[in-house]
Amino acid sequence: MTVTDPPPMVSHPPQRWRPDRSVITAIMVKDITAIRRSKAIVLPMLLVPGVLLIGLPAGIALFAQTRASPDLSGLLANLPASLAHPIAALPSAERMIVLVNGYLLAPLFLVVPLMVSAVLAADAFAGEKERRTLESLLHLPVRDQDLYLAKLLVAFVPTVLLSWLGFVFFAVISNAIGWPVMHRLFVPTTLWMILILWVTPAVASLGLGIMVRVSARASTTQEANQLGGAVIMPLILAAVGQATGLLLLNVTTVLGIGLIIWTIGLWLIRGGMLRFDRDRIASRL
Amino acid sequence: MSEPAIVCAGLRRVFDDGLALDSLDLEVQPGTVLALLGPNGAGKTTTVRLLNGILRPTAGWSRVLGLDPQTQGHELRHRTGVLTENAGLDDRLTARENLMVTARLRGIDPRTARVRVGELLERFGMTSHAGQRCQGYSTGQRRRIALARALISDPELLFLDEPTSGLDPAATDDVIDLIDSLAKDRGRTVVLCTHFLAEATRVADQMAILNRGLLLVSGSPRELADELWPEIELQIELEAPATESMLDALARVGGVCSADATPAGATVSITDRQVTPAVIDAIVSGGGRVFAALPTERTLADVYFAYEERLDPVHRGLRAADAPTNSTILEQASA
């Protein structure tokens, strides 16, 4: 062949990306259908929230009903005064339920969005490579941004919905089983609501942002979970250590902390989007 | 001549771990079946990825269906269908679900998609398995569903990587007929990456042989065979191997290049098929009885192996340091 110069092309101005809803929906429906059928994903997704948000609060509330009230004075003495004093002022039967279900379970609650988003994101991104389905997807007329957004939503939406649903269960069970002792609704508090509606999605975005980055380097879901776990576990421990404190702070501070987590999460996600490039992905297949 | 379905020049792709494709020049007309041949690692998959715009070239350019895969990949992928080396089906979905998702991602409305999916499942004999998850499928069944997926939007250009791998003989035959029909009857262009040379022989109008990222040769199998074997080889069937006197008589016939005895008679190389009657006359005059005289048909497979033979050291697996460079390969191949 003698042709060495490309034929002239009609130049088109670069088009601004607008999300293609039908494409995004189709990918989400596909992935969610597949996830629902995967025991390896569904079991941990249900088991961890089940234990943390249903089993534990129910157990604590039942324990408070059936046993003589334990002496919490030693424990309360080690808590910040701003938390300990209101609890100490309660009738002795109510102290344990309020302390555990109202405050101490809060950090564990944040484990749910972090963990679930990580599991789903690993399946959405690294799982596609592991199942060797990514190349056929790349050969379809799906824009990189639509694919990326669909994968994000596949992990983010179920995570937030599951966390919220878990919290509804937590609140209903805590109040129902605690009713004979408390005789009133004691969760959610205002700060709990901020934690649920503002901090939880932020934590989900953080878990997602981390796993998007990690999955780009991993070739299997297991590898992504291992790499992601190395980053996420310290975060979980930090969350456990710090979130009780969140409930002691005022509304503005908790909103601010949520904003910081959102910022980091979105920064990681945006970075992932910039790196989510067909050529880069196909080069690693 | 109409605009080529595929044209590329100097197409090159280098990965972090080395050269995958170097200076690929190719032109494929619409309605053509191109057999892209070569050993593993030759650059076939990279070529498909470059031509369908999922990889960017390091150098060179290409136009596929008149579009630039690099800047118009999205538009291009609406008009192409790809069967990848791995079926790439989601095992957790059923065959029907896998096909429906692809149809939706290709912008086919749900109603049309359902009809089209039903037709394709029927076409590939998978209707009764359509509701089963792909996890339990045999290799052949997966291949058929993947092929159906590549055809779902009735693309103008098909890239098929080992379409018959894992299929039984009847299904293989069916797929080859389908490819032939798509090109001949429907004017579709097909790029067929395969190791099965007999199948490629049946359908390919054009062949391109790649080796270690380098295009060794491309053209129609017939033209390439004529270049490689300018002489015609006649297999002469006699009642016994040709005698010395017969071979001497044949050597004196104008247009005969060589003559050798074989257990079945003789093999005679001639410059032109017009020489055939004179060859037979010479044998008959020498007392021989000719039962048949057939020219050896040179196939795509013969062309491929002829080039492979020229690259034999490479295929014997020389140590990297001893292996010839790409330019050496090219020189050897075109020698």
Side-chain angles (χ1 to χ4, degrees), chain B residues 167-304:
Chain B
L167 297 184
D168 60 49
T172 298
D173 224 35
D174 182 45
V175 168
I176 294 300
D177 286 345
L178 173 69
I179 294 170
D180 198 40
S181 156
L182 284 167
K184 305 281 184 302
D185 305 335
R186 314 266 328 271
R188 303 304 189 227
T189 309
V190 182
V191 175
L192 177 66
C193 303
T194 185
H195 288 118
F196 298 105
L197 300 178
E199 292 160 15
T201 301
R202 281 178 56 189
V203 288
D205 307 297
Q206 191 178 341
M207 65 187 288
I209 303 176
L210 290 168
N211 188 287
R212 292 164 36 135
L214 201 73
L215 177 70
L216 301 183
V217 68
S218 77
S220 84
R222 164 61 54 204
E223 287 167 3
L224 294 175
D226 288 348
E227 279 174 27
L228 281 167
W229 297 283
E231 297 154 8
I232 297 168
E233 198 176 76
L234 277 179
Q235 298 295 333
I236 314 276
E237 197 181 320
L238 306 171
E239 57 193 344
T243 60
E244 282 298 320
S245 61
M246 276 182 205
L247 296 175
D248 289 343
L250 285 169
R252 286 194 295 275
V253 175
V256 170
C257 307
S258 67
D260 298 295
T262 64
T267 300
V268 183
S269 289
I270 56 177
T271 54
D272 191 283
R273 66 194 300 265
Q274 300 296 330
V275 180
T276 308
V279 166
I280 293 170
D281 279 349
I283 294 170
V284 171
S285 303
R289 295 176 67 201
V290 178
F291 294 107
L294 298 169
T296 303
E297 289 291 336
R298 298 295 185 178
T299 65
L300 174 147
D302 294 322
V303 174
Y304 179 82

Side-chain angles (χ1 to χ4, degrees), chain A residues 35-60:
Chain A
I35 285 167
R36 276 197 296 116
R37 292 175 184 167
S38 172
K39 284 181 192 164
I41 299 174
V42 171
L43 282 178
M45 263 177 67
L46 295 181
L47 206 63
V48 175
V51 169
L52 294 181
L53 303 179
I54 298 172
L56 259 176
I60 294 294

Side-chain angles (χ1 to χ4, degrees), chain A residues 174-244:
Chain A
S174 295
N175 287 313
I177 301 179
W179 188 267
V181 177
M182 301 294 293
H183 306 293
R184 62 184 169 87
L185 298 178
F186 69 103
V187 279
T189 61
T190 308
L191 283 168
W192 256 111
M193 290 305 289
I194 295 169
L195 198 70
I196 299 307
L197 298 176
W198 177 241
V199 182
T200 292
V203 170
S205 79
L206 181 66
L208 202 49
I210 291 167
M211 290 309 286
V212 164
R213 296 293 186 92
V214 161
S215 296
R217 297 174 192 281
S219 52
T220 64
T221 311
Q222 193 182 5
E223 194 183 339
N225 280 325
Q226 283 169 351
L227 286 169
V231 182
I232 286 175
M233 274 312 288
L235 288 175
I236 288 176
L237 293 175
V240 170
Q242 298 303 315
T244 304

Side-chain angles (χ1 to χ4, degrees), chain B residues 6 49 64 84 88 103 120 128 135 163 200 223 242 277 287 293 303 307 310:
Chain B
I6 299 171
R49 289 175 181 169
V64 180
T84 52
L120 286 166
S128 58
Q135 204 160 16
E223 287 167 3
V303 174
Y307 275 92
R310 293 178 179 195

Side-chain angles (χ1 to χ4, degrees), chain A residues 1 3-7 9 34 37 123 131-133 135-136 138-141 143 277-279 283, chain B residues 8-9 13 26 49 52 54-56 61 63 72 74 77-78 82 86 88-89 92-93 97 133 149:
Chain A
M1 218 173 72
V3 185
T4 52
D5 296 323
M9 298 287 296
R37 292 175 184 167
D123 183 75
R131 292 187 292 273
R132 307 176 91 172
T133 48
E135 185 177 5
S136 52
L138 296 177
H139 277 295
L140 291 173
R143 292 187 193 283
D277 168 75
R278 247 185 178 75
D279 180 83
S283 302
Chain B
C8 63
R13 176 65 199 222
L26 208 57
R49 289 175 181 169
N52 205 34
I54 75 166
L55 281 177
R56 278 190 290 273
W61 59 268
R63 295 288 179 270
Q72 296 168 297
H74 185 72
R77 286 187 288 274
H78 268 293
V82 181
N86 291 296
L89 302 173
R92 298 172 294 184
L93 302 182
E97 286 167 343
R133 289 189 204 172
R149 188 178 54 185

